Amino acid sequence: MNKLGRKDMSKSILVIDDDRLIRVQMSDSLQEKGYDVTMAEDAERGLDILRTRNFDLVILDIILPGMSGIEAISKMKEIDPDTIIIMITGHGSNKLAMEAIDAGAYDYFTKPIKMDEMEIMIKRALEKRRLEKELVSLREKLKSKYEFERIIGKSGAMQEVFESINKVVGTDITVL
C-alpha cells in the first residue's frame, strides 16, 4: 500500500525534465514496459506531485528552470527518504553527476538516453529498493520476536532480571 492507502498496481515512475520531447519519449517507452509514468516539466511541479503520491523511482534532469535537479534531491528525500532518484543530464559533466550522487541520487545517465540501458538501471534500482524494504521488515520481525518484553514473569526474581536487561540493552558491553 502507498502512503495514500492504495495498492500499487505497477511500478510508478515520475519523470521530471524541461524538454517535452524527452519527457514524452521516455514516458512512452516506460509505459510500453508496463510502468505507470507521471511527468513534470520542472522540479517545483515534480515536488508537488511527489507530495501527493508515492513513486517507486524518480528520473530527474539535473539542469532545470528554477530549482535545479540537484537542489530538488534533498527536498524529495525529505518527502520520502526511500525515493530512488536517477539523474539525467545533457551536459555530460561528471562533476555535476558526482554532486547529484553525493546529494543522494542513485545514479545518472547522459543524454541522449539509451532506453534499453536505462531500463536495466531502473530494474536494478527497483530491486535495490525492494531488498531494502524487505531487510527493514525482516529486522522489525526479528526484533519483535526476540524483545525481552515478550517474556512473561511477575516474580521478584524475574523483575530483577528485567531491570538488569534494561541497564545493558542499549550498550555493547559483554553482560557475562
Side-chain angles (χ1 to χ4, degrees):
M1 291 244 203
N2 65 23
K3 60 185 164 190
L4 297 177
R6 294 186 303 242
K7 283 190 175 182
D8 292 321
M9 303 209 345
S10 65
K11 298 296 181 187
S12 57
I13 298 176
L14 175 60
V15 176
I16 305 171
D17 196 310
D18 58 327
D19 185 322
R20 184 182 183 286
L21 183 61
I22 289 174
R23 277 194 321 267
V24 171
Q25 287 176 336
M26 197 173 298
S27 175
D28 289 348
S29 179
L30 292 170
Q31 285 175 346
E32 284 177 15
K33 301 292 183 183
Y35 295 103
D36 174 24
V37 181
T38 302
M39 298 182 288
E41 63 280 352
D42 59 43
E44 289 85 358
R45 178 74 182 123
L47 287 166
D48 289 342
I49 293 169
L50 195 59
R51 285 184 189 98
T52 63
R53 183 170 168 215
N54 240 5
F55 287 91
D56 296 296
L57 186 129
V58 175
I59 298 173
L60 176 64
D61 193 5
I62 290 179
I63 307 296
L64 292 168
M67 181 188 309
S68 76
I70 293 173
E71 291 173 273
I73 293 171
S74 63
K75 295 182 184 314
M76 289 179 178
K77 293 290 187 174
E78 286 173 15
I79 294 168
D80 182 0
D82 298 328
T83 298
I84 294 177
I85 302 168
I86 295 176
M87 303 301 292
I88 55 177
T89 181
H91 300 281
S93 166
N94 283 341
K95 182 178 183 277
L96 280 177
M98 297 289 60
E99 280 181 47
I101 289 172
D102 287 344
Y106 175 76
D107 211 336
Y108 72 97
F109 257 88
T110 55
K111 296 176 187 176
I113 304 294
K114 294 177 183 161
M115 284 308 296
D116 54 337
E117 292 175 12
M118 173 69 86
E119 188 180 355
I120 291 169
M121 183 180 292
I122 289 170
K123 285 181 179 179
R124 285 184 184 155
L126 293 172
E127 178 65 5
K128 176 183 182 270
R129 180 180 172 129
R130 186 192 68 76
L131 290 171
E132 286 173 346
K133 284 183 173 185
E134 187 175 320
L135 179 61
V136 168
S137 173
L138 289 172
R139 283 182 175 159
E140 287 172 1
K141 286 178 185 174
L142 188 64
K143 181 181 175 193
S144 69
K145 183 176 181 179
Y146 293 106
E147 285 178 330
F148 78 89
E149 286 88 2
R150 295 179 60 139
I151 301 172
I152 300 171
K154 296 187 188 246
S155 69
M158 284 306 295
Q159 294 304 311
E160 287 179 30
V161 170
F162 294 152
E163 190 175 310
S164 296
I165 291 171
N166 271 326
K167 288 180 183 174
V168 296
V169 75
T171 67
D172 60 356
I173 62 171
T174 305
V175 176
L176 298 177

